[in-house]
Amino acid sequence: MRRNCIKILFLFCAINLRAQIGFEIGASHKIDHISYELNDDFNLGIQLRSFAKINLSKQIKIKNELTFSKNIHSNSGEIAGKKWVQRYIYNWMSISSNMELFLVRNFYVIYGINYNYLMSNNYKWKWSDQASSSSLNLSELDFTSRTNTSANLGVGWIFDKKMILEIRCENKIADGNFKLEPIDLKQYIISLGVGIIL
């Protein structure tokens, strides 16, 4: 499946001679806008993204992306004077199609749709001097149970002609069966990335 996704990505690049390819690396955080508390409930994501841009005009571009991300959800506490920590580590692959609308020469708004697939999930815990790690069995889940669709909206800036800086806000909009879900504005993912256009 990974090979097919990469082929599709470069196909988007090949259909237009004015297309650009590049890479982006960034970090993300899932935010609860009610509490803003990070002490015992923390989410961190690391993303590696490759993209192909198709220039429709000077103001409008289509940006197709293939993203691999690792998301870490961590909880901690204390029982009888002994500290405990548990972590869930999720590995995702996403295929995205976005529209870039340039408001001024190097500043743009980006918005689009992401199709996300959960590749693996690991669980780690530590209590006092004991620790354990295990991979959760995802084979029992069907394909649609490991997928979802999300939408993102953000802004970006191109500097030094080849470097890009983007910040995005993402929220889940549908499950694996493409059944629309109510958007939960209480929780969303905000990400920051920096990349290079080749």
Side-chain angles (χ1 to χ4, degrees):
M1 184 174 180
R2 292 187 188 180
R3 291 182 180 178
N4 291 335
C5 292
I6 293 174
K7 289 179 181 178
I8 292 172
L9 183 68
F10 283 98
L11 176 63
F12 281 126
C13 184
I15 62 176
N16 192 313
L17 296 178
R18 297 172 61 201
Q20 300 169 313
I21 60 174
F23 299 92
E24 184 178 334
I25 188 169
S28 64
H29 177 60
K30 190 172 182 179
I31 295 179
D32 182 340
H33 82 308
I34 293 178
S35 63
Y36 292 107
E37 294 179 355
L38 306 179
N39 49 359
D40 289 331
D41 189 357
F42 185 69
N43 289 272
L44 175 66
I46 302 171
Q47 302 174 346
L48 177 61
R49 175 180 294 132
S50 58
F51 61 83
K53 286 186 178 186
I54 299 174
N55 303 324
L56 300 182
S57 68
K58 290 184 178 180
Q59 287 77 32
I60 301 175
K61 298 182 180 182
I62 296 175
K63 186 177 183 181
N64 300 295
E65 303 171 343
L66 177 63
T67 303
F68 294 97
S69 61
K70 182 182 292 290
N71 299 91
I72 303 171
H73 172 79
S74 180
N75 284 321
S76 62
E78 189 172 320
I79 300 177
K82 296 182 179 180
K83 293 183 178 180
W84 60 268
V85 177
Q86 63 176 3
R87 289 187 176 92
Y88 291 90
I89 303 172
Y90 305 91
N91 294 299
W92 291 89
M93 179 179 68
S94 302
I95 299 174
S96 312
S97 183
N98 302 281
M99 182 80 73
E100 290 182 351
L101 177 62
F102 280 77
L103 304 179
V104 293
R105 184 176 180 182
N106 293 322
F107 181 80
Y108 58 89
V109 174
I110 182 170
Y111 56 94
I113 298 293
N114 315 308
Y115 184 68
N116 311 302
Y117 174 72
L118 179 62
M119 295 187 295
S120 63
N121 187 358
N122 298 313
Y123 173 68
K124 296 182 179 181
W125 65 267
K126 182 177 181 181
W127 184 70
S128 185
D129 58 348
Q130 300 178 357
S132 177
S133 176
S134 62
S135 297
L136 301 185
N137 186 7
L138 295 176
S139 61
E140 299 176 356
L141 300 177
D142 59 18
F143 182 81
T144 56
S145 298
R146 298 168 65 170
T147 61
N148 65 66
T149 304
S150 60
N152 69 80
L153 176 65
V155 294
W157 179 48
I158 299 176
F159 57 98
D160 198 25
K161 294 184 179 180
K162 290 188 175 182
M163 300 296 295
I164 59 174
L165 178 67
E166 285 186 356
I167 184 169
R168 302 187 191 183
C169 180
E170 180 182 342
N171 207 318
K172 181 180 175 183
I173 59 173
D175 61 17
N177 293 312
F178 299 103
K179 181 180 179 181
L180 294 179
E181 296 184 355
I183 296 178
D184 185 3
L185 295 179
K186 296 179 182 179
Q187 291 189 334
Y188 55 93
I189 298 173
I190 187 166
S191 62
L192 177 67
V194 61
I196 184 170
I197 302 172
L198 302 178

